[in-house]
Amino acid sequence: MRRPLTMTQLNQLPGDDWRTALGEVVGLPEWIDVVAAARPYADRARLLSLAEREVLALRPEQVRAALADHPRIGAATAPGSQAAGEQSGVDSADAALLERLRAGNLAYEARFGLIYLVCAAGRTGPEMLADLTERLDNEPDAEILVTRRELAAIARKRLERVVIP
């Protein structure tokens, strides 16, 4: 879904097209099913609320599955991809920062068994590195909650780009 839609356009979009667009927001079939089945949406706020609520209700194994298509913070991303835009605060020319993010990502994955996820939009590379480092001290059960909240924030931001206010 490249161009923003009005609520009327979104509600009239063919079901398969809307499901494809939702897959670019959160790549989890169960989440897509629930959000897609709620059409027609009364307004943008209700859509955003539903999308967030459903991410926050995901079980830990669903959160892990939803992370499968997210690139690591600081890793190369496809030019023009959502992740590239969202992670634009990471200076790809800062080799020292990229190495620290790489090492932090590996330590995070070893500790928690999932990739480090943060709503990167508007955040700098050093801010994300500080967040990653701080989160390494979390207990696994607490960290899955933090990750779920970050995924919900990402879903909201992505949907805000899809639907015109």
Side-chain angles (χ1 to χ4, degrees):
M1 191 68 32
R2 295 297 173 207
R3 62 179 174 80
L5 303 170
T6 65
M7 285 306 300
T8 300
Q9 291 169 324
L10 186 147
N11 283 327
Q12 294 173 352
L13 197 65
D16 287 344
D17 292 349
W18 180 227
R19 290 180 62 78
T20 298
L22 287 172
E24 294 174 11
V25 174
V26 176
L28 185 70
E30 302 96 290
W31 180 86
I32 294 167
D33 290 344
V34 171
V35 176
R39 275 198 322 171
Y41 310 109
D43 56 42
R44 183 177 190 248
R46 289 193 185 147
L47 167 61
L48 296 174
S49 176
L50 167 69
E52 278 184 304
R53 184 177 64 245
E54 291 302 320
V55 170
L56 293 171
L58 296 176
R59 295 182 314 275
E61 63 273 12
Q62 291 174 307
V63 172
R64 284 181 170 79
L67 299 182
D69 65 345
H70 282 268
R72 290 181 177 105
I73 297 295
T77 55
S81 69
Q82 287 190 96
E86 293 163 350
Q87 292 189 34
S88 63
V90 177
D91 181 358
S92 61
D94 187 339
L97 173 65
L98 292 177
E99 177 53 31
R100 291 175 66 202
L101 283 168
R102 187 192 69 73
N105 279 314
L106 293 175
Y108 183 95
E109 291 168 25
R111 174 147 170 73
F112 299 113
L114 63 150
I115 70 160
Y116 165 70
L117 184 78
V118 66
C119 185
R123 298 178 83 171
T124 67
E127 288 172 337
M128 289 183 272
L129 178 61
D131 180 71
L132 187 162
T133 302
E134 181 179 314
R135 285 171 54 186
L136 282 169
D137 291 333
N138 287 345
E139 291 300 318
D141 288 344
E143 184 54 27
I144 200 76
L145 297 175
V146 173
T147 301
R148 188 182 294 130
R149 285 194 304 267
E150 293 295 329
L151 184 60
I154 292 167
R156 181 180 190 85
K157 288 192 175 295
R158 287 180 175 183
L159 279 173
E160 285 173 343
R161 290 192 301 265
V162 171
V163 185
I164 295 171

